[in-house]
Amino acid sequence: MRGIELIPVEGLPEVNAGDVLSELIAGAAADLRDGDVVVVTQKIVSKAEGRMVQVDPDDPVSHKVFVEQESVRVLRRRGDLMITETSHGFVCANAGIDLSNVERGWAALLPVDPDRSARRIRDGLRARAGVEVGVIVSDTFGRPWRAGVTDVAIGCAGVAAVVDLRGTTDALGRELQVTEVCVADELAAAAELVMGKSAGVPVAIVRGVDPTWLREGSIVGEVVREHGLDLFR
């Protein structure tokens, strides 16, 4: 790769339950090309899939009932903050439930199956725009032992989640023994640089990715670590 290009997709309308995201994206991104990776924020996926719930706008913890509902286990609590594991296997704050960038009195739940959501968008873009692209559904997660948040991939289709470099050599010829790169997370984080948290740009295109990454992928299947391999659960 000589470099990648990050392109915000502007002009998307407000997304509502039942909207077909591939149709909206194809209409706003006229220059989609084969090999592009389309990164779509979880928020508009949840809106389109009807994963919005009403909460009490005057009670800052009224969404906690949904946190319990969406979690398979609670790993840590500190005050109002809960670190939970979702049914997908994601470990995140408050089961990924978000109150930002949604109407007052509403909260966004994570999609039921973000990989399937990505496949639906990918297939729709193929049908509507005639292009073969990868799709990533992104969300903002915190990280243990590091301050600040970053965007990660919670679903993908048509693009690898993890690229396994074990058995290849580094720049000095040494064989790599354990290196597996979560390229889906890297692409999600890169796309967020042109989407921002308050710019109202929920979709971005990453152009110029390594074509060997363009294969079927799955976040749940490739990224979520099995409990037996996790040193911290």
Side-chain angles (χ1 to χ4, degrees):
M1 283 192 300
R2 295 185 177 180
I4 61 172
E5 184 178 1
L6 306 174
I7 307 165
V9 177
E10 299 177 308
L12 282 163
E14 182 65 28
V15 173
N16 298 296
D19 284 348
V20 179
L21 289 180
S22 59
E23 180 178 335
L24 299 181
I25 295 168
D31 188 34
L32 270 179
R33 303 176 190 175
D34 289 338
D36 286 346
V37 175
V38 180
V39 181
V40 184
T41 59
Q42 162 268 325
K43 197 68 56 65
I44 66 167
V45 174
S46 293
K47 286 181 176 180
E49 295 182 356
R51 293 284 287 165
M52 304 295 295
V53 293
Q54 286 189 290
V55 295
D56 183 349
D58 298 316
D59 181 356
V61 298
S62 64
H63 64 292
K64 293 300 180 180
V65 63
F66 297 107
V67 174
E68 299 275 3
Q69 174 183 299
E70 294 292 303
S71 301
V72 296
R73 59 178 54 85
V74 177
L75 303 179
R76 293 287 188 277
R77 294 177 188 262
R78 179 181 294 171
D80 294 334
L81 175 66
M82 299 165 61
I83 303 299
T84 72
E85 181 180 348
T86 71
S87 60
H88 322 81
F90 305 146
V91 175
C92 53
N94 295 325
I97 295 174
D98 202 346
L99 304 177
S100 64
N101 290 314
V102 297
E103 294 294 329
R104 177 175 162 81
W106 291 86
L109 310 182
L110 292 180
V112 172
D113 185 342
D115 282 329
R116 182 178 63 195
S117 302
R119 290 194 298 270
R120 184 181 296 118
I121 297 169
R122 186 270 315 271
D123 293 347
L125 289 173
R126 178 191 292 146
R128 288 174 169 81
V131 291
E132 289 293 336
V133 298
V135 171
I136 289 172
V137 177
S138 67
D139 196 10
T140 303
F141 277 22
R143 300 156 300 161
W145 306 293
R146 297 182 71 86
V149 296
T150 188
D151 273 26
V152 301
I154 63 169
C156 70
V159 61
V162 173
V163 172
D164 188 350
L165 298 182
R166 293 174 295 180
T168 64
T169 55
D170 66 14
L172 298 178
R174 289 188 291 263
E175 182 176 330
L176 300 176
Q177 301 292 327
V178 296
T179 304
E180 297 177 273
V181 181
C182 188
V183 296
D185 280 354
E186 293 183 332
L187 293 170
E192 200 278 331
L193 294 174
V194 297
M195 293 192 289
K197 301 301 181 194
S198 59
V201 178
V203 178
I205 298 166
V206 184
R207 181 164 293 158
V209 305
D210 188 330
T212 65
W213 298 355
L214 300 176
R215 61 161 174 81
E216 278 307 320
S218 166
I219 298 301
V220 170
E222 298 179 53
V223 177
V224 175
R225 196 185 299 276
E226 298 176 15
H227 281 211
L229 302 176
D230 192 327
L231 297 178
F232 300 97
R233 276 186 291 174

